[in-house]
Amino acid sequence: MSKNLVIVESPAKAKTIEKFLGNDYTVKSCFGHIRDLAKGDEAIDVKNNFLPHYEVSEDKKAIVAELKKLSKEAEVVWLASDEDREGEAISWHLSEVLNLTESKTRRIVFHEITKPAILKAIENPRGIDKNLVDAQQARRVLDRLVGFELSPVLWKKVKANLSAGRVQSVAVRLIVDREREINVFNYSSAFRVIARFNVSGKQMEAELAKRFETEAEALAFLEKCKGATFTIKNLEVKPSEKSPAPPFTTSTLQQEASRKMGYGVSITMSIAQKLYENGFITYMRTDSVNLSELAIGSAQKYITDNFGSKYSRPMRYTTKNDSAQEAHEAIRPTYFENVEVEGTPQEKKLYDLIYKRAIASQMAKAQIEKTIATVSISGLPDQLIATGEVLKFDGFLKVYLESTDDDSEDENSKMLPPLNVGENLQLIHINATERYSRPAPRYTEASLVKKLEELGIGRPSTYAPTISTIQKRGYVVKEDREGKDRKFVTLTLEKNEIGREVKTEKFASEKSKLFPSDIGMIVTDFLTKHFDKIMDFGFTASVEEEFDKIARGQLGWNKMIEKFYGPFHANVINTSETAERQNAERSLGADPESGKTVYVKVGRYGPFAQIGENSDDEKEKPRYASLRAGQLTETITLEEAIDLFRLPRVVGNFETKDIKAAIGRFGPYLVHDSKFISIPKTDDVFAITIERAIELIEGKRISDANKLIKTFAEDEELKILNGRWGPYIALGKENYRLSKTQKVDELTYEKVLEIIKAEGRPAAKTAAKKTSAKKVPAKKTAAKKTAAKKVKK
DNA sequence: CAGTGAGCGAGCTTCCGCTTGACTT
């Protein structure tokens, strides 16, 4: 048995480090925290100075037993968990659980997994920093107290199974606040004027510096431009430069993968996890932009060898974020020589992104020459401005261009044709187009992570789980919304005549955006009203300051918790006793048909509308109807609510049974003889005729009849069915895929069993994964081609 | 899978952070 036992957090890390150290060292992983607060409400002894009761987690018992055995046999145990608050606590828990004596234990830390860093760490051991451990205990205890005292208040006042916490509740609040901003947003429009000229065979555009608030003003301007002369009055050439972005942290990786590939944050993390486990990239949960000296050196070598030394610009980035703990390196390829790696298409794509971002961060700035041309208009004081950009030196743009969140109207700078001061331009046309202002955009998963990181809320390891939690609780939904039509006016001056056109555009269409639900809004309002301190965006930052004081030994952790818990707990008790039950009830007005009041509120099965009062009288019973997806009790109008009661509606009678039309969870449907038939998007549920309904029913009968291809005498659960993607095997409720080359006639019972066995899991899942991979928009990842031609501002 | 909208009443839910598999929800 080896003399030294080294314990790190991650097994992949253990494997790497073992190679750096000699035979005298055994390197094991503890897989993160080995102990946590006990499950129930008794985990913290509030009356006894908040004494925490820790338990070894069920899934860690085996590894703890192994570590116990190995540590007994070893002469020295090296605790090499991460150098941050959580890492220090992991080392402390290890020393407690493994009964390590001080003389036998060494605490070591390193920020990068390179041989020199590890060897240097071994030479500089220290003891466990108990102050830092206490800061972690304060963090842990505070989160438990907040979460486990607030959640039950919600069960009592809103709905069962809900949850609240320091991180998740603020995340939901951000989304609720943003939604309301959008709801009350005042759309205003103004006329944007763009002139197009012909300059010795080439075209160029110039924009008026100001916009006109009204159509009349825009029209008056165009009138004055009739017959005017357009002259280049001034040319200004300004050199400028563009710097590469720092290498990825967890948050920036999630943002770019979302913008460039359309991945949700948890997809990105699981792909990155695979790349890490395969040794292709460094650790993917990090808040640091730091690169090891070794990495900087090898990037420099790669860039010089492949692009030339003028492309190399070794750069050490520093983190701006206060809350960063920087226990790891930035996310980078382990070897810059690996331009590509083996793996799934998704893994290859994400690797490519990480690779390019890291290498670009070590490359020279791009040199850009910006030209601003001012165009005067005879007889008018106004001027038009044309801007152009020429890329003088591409630098890092050779490999990578960061994208931005705001999809603002494309102001892609173009090259200008050669121009001279005093030159008269030949006008093609001038457009004055009505443009609308836009509210702040709704959050995507990734832009929410960005916001949370800015506020110092949450950690790299929790961003993705937090986003899942708030969706799982039903506070937030991620979905697409179809845009609405809006009219806008375009005035055009061409050949000295002014034309007017009214066009239609879609606006407010959304793709994979986060929307609050009624419950999300109710819970946010309730918590903000009664627990404003915890819902404050600065709450985490202020407790972090206290944790830092604890870490510096200036404040006892129990003292800090006591100060917080006193008023908090009193507030919990008070709210629990006095606050009313929340159901977001709202009266919308009178139903024009019956004169009864129309309400909306949230019940056990979700939000619904109600006509008439609750009453004991059988005849006076109110009518109910569920709200549809996307409708909120907060914003639904009386008309929309009344509309809900038009369904289900009897379309007519067919084969002695009624056909009813309604809208369910999966959209509009018909029901006839207790069979359900979806109504296609091209039909209107409210207007569908009996003839059309019968046609759909008969169509469904035919496709159902064609569905069954083959049955087996041996097992009546087993069938060959015809589905959307061709024939497949159905066994009970499980489906299995058939290969394309498989001829259905040749399928015997034995053959089918063989296929099922080989598959090992239902075909439906695999198929779903495949399509989702395909759905990802094929946006340009390679900045290579585009970057050489233009630079996006 | 899809309609419901109640209150005689059991026992459950829940936090944030650190790590990966096991596993078909």
Side-chain angles (χ1 to χ4, degrees):
Chain A
M1 206 61 244
S2 62
K3 288 183 220 151
N4 296 282
L5 173 65
V6 182
I7 304 175
V8 296
E9 292 183 38
S10 148
K13 208 190 241 184
K15 247 193 334 195
T16 316
I17 292 174
E18 195 145 49
K19 278 186 249 163
F20 296 147
L21 298 169
N23 289 333
D24 288 344
Y25 291 82
T26 300
V27 186
K28 284 282 165 190
S29 138
C30 65
F31 295 81
H33 277 296
I34 51 156
R35 284 206 302 192
D36 191 13
L37 289 174
K39 275 203 184 83
D41 292 332
E42 311 302 314
I44 300 164
D45 192 346
V46 173
K47 291 203 181 68
N48 190 5
N49 244 333
F50 302 94
L51 185 76
H53 171 50
Y54 295 110
E55 278 176 1
V56 173
S57 333
E58 203 48 52
D59 55 335
K60 295 291 165 58
K61 291 213 161 127
I63 187 73
V64 166
E66 190 192 354
L67 292 175
K68 246 184 198 164
K69 181 169 168 283
L70 291 172
S71 66
K72 265 199 195 111
E73 293 162 1
E75 282 169 27
V76 179
V77 178
W78 303 79
L79 300 175
S81 51
D82 297 345
E83 187 182 30
D84 58 16
R85 204 162 62 202
E86 298 297 326
E88 204 65 24
I90 288 174
S91 278
W92 177 70
H93 282 299
L94 279 167
S95 75
E96 293 273 301
V97 174
L98 306 180
N99 293 316
L100 301 179
T101 59
E102 224 168 283
S103 59
K104 180 174 177 170
T105 315
R106 312 273 186 281
R107 169 79 171 117
I108 53 167
V109 292
F110 36 82
H111 299 121
E112 50 190 58
I113 316 300
T114 57
K115 192 168 178 181
I118 308 296
L119 295 180
K120 196 173 157 208
I122 296 271
E123 280 163 26
N124 296 285
R126 58 170 173 86
I128 290 171
D129 181 347
K130 194 62 195 338
N131 288 333
L132 195 52
V133 173
D134 283 350
Q136 192 275 345
Q137 297 202 86
R139 199 281 303 155
R140 182 68 191 93
V141 166
L142 178 107
D143 282 338
R144 168 60 69 86
L145 290 172
V146 169
F148 276 37
E149 296 218 357
L150 280 189
S151 299
V153 180
L154 295 180
W155 304 340
K156 195 170 164 192
K157 302 298 179 184
V158 186
K159 212 177 120 178
N161 303 316
L162 294 179
S163 64
R166 175 177 56 84
V167 174
Q168 57 168 290
S169 297
V170 179
V172 176
R173 182 181 183 177
L174 283 167
I175 293 162
V176 170
D177 283 2
R178 178 59 54 86
E179 190 69 17
R180 290 192 171 136
E181 266 174 58
I182 294 170
N183 284 340
V184 301
F185 184 75
N186 207 351
Y187 287 89
S188 63
S189 73
F191 284 77
R192 181 185 184 196
V193 178
I194 295 175
R196 179 171 280 268
F197 300 103
N198 192 344
V199 187
S200 43
K202 286 187 178 151
Q203 296 202 348
M204 81 169 221
E205 282 188 346
E207 182 177 349
L208 191 68
K210 65 173 178 189
R211 293 184 181 199
F212 296 108
E213 278 177 34
T214 63
E215 187 180 342
E217 287 173 82
L219 184 65
F221 174 79
L222 290 187
E223 284 290 350
K224 287 186 195 147
C225 286
K226 275 187 182 171
T229 313
F230 299 87
T231 315
I232 298 283
K233 196 183 155 201
N234 189 34
L235 279 173
E236 196 186 340
V237 179
K238 268 201 267 181
S240 72
E241 51 185 25
K242 191 174 169 55
S243 305
F248 281 132
T249 61
T250 302
S251 153
T252 52
L253 174 68
Q254 289 171 343
Q255 290 160 44
E256 278 290 86
S258 164
R259 290 186 290 229
K260 287 194 159 143
M261 276 111 83
Y263 294 164
V265 293
S266 43
I267 301 274
T268 300
M269 291 313 282
S270 64
I271 303 167
Q273 175 86 32
K274 267 274 156 342
L275 291 170
Y276 168 67
E277 283 168 11
N278 290 337
F280 297 146
I281 61 167
T282 54
Y283 198 56
M284 64 283 154
R285 290 188 274 266
T286 176
D287 50 23
S288 172
V289 287
N290 182 55
L291 294 177
S292 71
E293 289 305 317
L294 214 67
I296 292 177
S298 79
Q300 184 179 11
K301 182 172 185 313
Y302 181 85
I303 295 162
T304 310
D305 290 353
N306 289 275
F307 306 119
S309 59
K310 67 172 180 172
Y311 279 93
S312 170
R313 179 171 164 267
M315 179 75 188
R316 282 160 196 83
Y317 293 90
T318 47
T319 308
K320 281 176 260 160
N321 200 323
D322 294 341
S323 61
Q325 310 207 359
E326 309 217 48
H328 305 97
E329 269 189 86
I331 306 172
R332 63 160 171 95
T334 4
Y335 304 105
F336 282 101
E337 296 76 43
N338 290 344
V339 180
E340 280 179 1
V341 295
E342 290 301 311
T344 65
Q346 287 190 326
E347 285 163 28
K348 282 169 180 272
K349 261 197 200 159
L350 196 72
Y351 180 80
D352 189 58
L353 194 66
I354 292 166
Y355 183 89
K356 285 176 171 158
R357 172 88 164 213
I359 200 102
S361 80
Q362 296 301 309
M363 289 175 74
K365 294 178 184 177
Q367 305 294 329
I368 295 151
E369 194 180 88
K370 209 169 186 176
T371 306
I372 302 164
T374 315
V375 180
S376 65
I377 311 167
S378 64
L380 281 172
D382 307 275
Q383 293 178 335
L384 300 162
I385 308 286
T387 54
E389 278 183 359
V390 177
L391 194 59
K392 288 291 183 186
F393 173 60
D394 54 359
F396 77 95
L397 291 174
K398 208 175 189 67
V399 298
Y400 183 86
L401 180 63
E402 190 186 14
S403 39
T404 52
D405 273 326
D406 59 85
D407 43 346
S408 55
E409 286 167 38
D410 55 292
E411 287 181 14
N412 279 344
S413 308
K414 296 157 211 153
M415 272 175 60
L416 291 178
L419 297 168
N420 298 304
V421 175
E423 183 178 356
N424 285 345
L425 304 174
Q426 185 197 338
L427 181 70
I428 301 170
H429 59 69
I430 305 180
N431 280 328
T433 314
E434 187 177 16
R435 299 280 70 186
Y436 289 84
S437 57
R438 292 195 299 184
R442 288 195 176 81
Y443 288 105
T444 62
E445 289 189 350
S447 68
L448 182 62
V449 168
K450 183 184 180 185
K451 186 68 189 178
L452 289 172
E453 189 189 34
E454 280 167 14
L455 294 168
I457 299 170
R459 304 279 312 131
S461 68
T462 59
Y463 293 139
T466 300
I467 304 268
S468 310
T469 301
I470 60 176
Q471 293 179 68
K472 228 188 288 167
R473 299 272 175 274
Y475 293 146
V476 162
V477 285
K478 178 172 100 173
E479 57 189 29
D480 303 344
R481 294 269 167 97
E482 216 172 303
K484 285 173 273 190
D485 283 336
R486 170 167 73 192
K487 294 206 173 354
F488 68 99
V489 173
T490 310
L491 302 173
T492 306
L493 171 67
E494 196 169 5
K495 291 174 185 145
N496 271 329
E497 276 182 38
I498 296 175
R500 181 183 193 268
E501 219 182 324
V502 180
K503 294 181 180 166
T504 307
E505 65 179 350
K506 280 252 184 277
F507 78 108
S509 52
E510 298 281 23
K511 188 117 188 74
S512 284
K513 292 288 174 63
L514 299 173
F515 295 83
S517 68
D518 273 301
I519 286 292
M521 293 177 131
I522 292 172
V523 167
T524 298
D525 288 344
F526 179 77
L527 292 175
T528 311
K529 186 173 167 200
H530 298 284
F531 302 95
D532 56 330
K533 192 175 161 189
I534 283 158
M535 295 299 279
D536 190 297
F537 296 123
F539 177 66
T540 292
S542 74
V543 291
E544 282 288 343
E545 269 176 39
E546 309 245 283
F547 297 153
D548 286 345
K549 273 190 208 156
I550 297 168
R552 286 194 300 265
Q554 297 161 344
L555 178 64
W557 79 264
N558 337 57
K559 278 266 165 347
M560 183 246 156
I561 294 294
E562 194 179 352
K563 215 174 130 208
F564 163 79
Y565 186 72
F568 170 72
H569 183 67
N571 196 9
V572 168
I573 300 294
N574 180 44
T575 307
S576 195
E577 281 169 2
T578 59
E580 273 185 21
R581 214 186 148 76
Q582 307 291 306
N583 62 8
E585 183 172 323
R586 201 162 74 90
S587 155
L588 301 181
D591 171 24
E593 212 170 285
S594 61
K596 290 178 184 168
T597 312
V598 181
Y599 298 94
V600 281
K601 57 179 166 182
V602 178
R604 222 163 87 174
Y605 304 103
F608 66 99
Q610 171 180 339
I611 299 181
E613 310 293 332
N614 288 324
S615 110
D616 295 332
D617 189 347
E618 270 299 311
K619 278 182 283 178
E620 289 295 311
K621 277 227 161 183
R623 295 164 64 204
Y624 302 101
S626 291
L627 263 59
R628 301 215 182 100
Q631 289 180 327
L632 292 172
T633 54
E634 184 166 313
T635 49
I636 194 169
T637 61
L638 178 64
E639 291 71 32
E640 286 166 343
I642 288 169
D643 222 34
L644 297 170
F645 292 91
R646 289 170 61 197
L647 294 175
R649 110 181 202 275
V650 177
V651 180
N653 200 284
F654 175 54
E655 293 173 350
T656 75
K657 292 203 167 73
D658 276 347
I659 304 174
K660 279 187 202 159
I663 295 180
R665 266 216 288 164
F666 309 104
Y669 65 93
L670 292 171
V671 62
H672 174 253
D673 193 16
S674 55
K675 285 190 185 72
F676 294 89
I677 302 105
S678 289
I679 299 176
K681 275 217 173 91
T682 43
D683 289 283
D684 181 357
V685 228
F686 294 106
I688 198 163
T689 60
I690 177 76
E691 291 79 19
R692 176 66 180 145
I694 292 169
E695 194 183 318
L696 287 172
I697 291 168
E698 286 177 335
K700 169 89 170 158
R701 283 180 184 168
I702 293 168
S703 71
D704 278 351
N706 288 338
K707 204 175 161 190
L708 189 65
I709 300 176
K710 197 170 184 164
T711 52
F712 297 89
E714 292 92 336
D715 186 349
E716 62 176 22
E717 288 271 276
L718 187 67
K719 290 165 191 147
I720 308 292
L721 299 177
N722 198 12
R724 251 163 85 191
W725 299 289
Y728 66 96
I729 301 168
L731 176 61
K733 282 192 171 161
E734 306 266 314
N735 297 334
Y736 300 85
R737 192 165 40 163
L738 277 176
S739 82
K740 274 186 188 147
T741 49
Q742 178 66 51
K743 291 209 177 77
V744 179
D745 322 339
E746 291 168 8
L747 281 173
T748 60
Y749 180 65
E750 287 72 26
K751 178 72 188 159
V752 170
L753 289 188
E754 216 172 275
I755 295 170
I756 290 173
K757 211 172 165 195
E759 188 78 37
R761 57 179 166 181
K765 278 269 154 79
T766 337
K769 261 182 201 160
K770 267 224 161 134
T771 42
S772 76
K774 252 182 224 164
K775 249 192 261 165
V776 170
K779 268 194 188 165
K780 24 96 219 240
T781 321
K784 233 177 202 169
K785 278 176 265 169
T786 43
K789 281 181 225 149
K790 62 184 175 194
V791 184
K792 200 168 184 185
K793 223 182 107 184

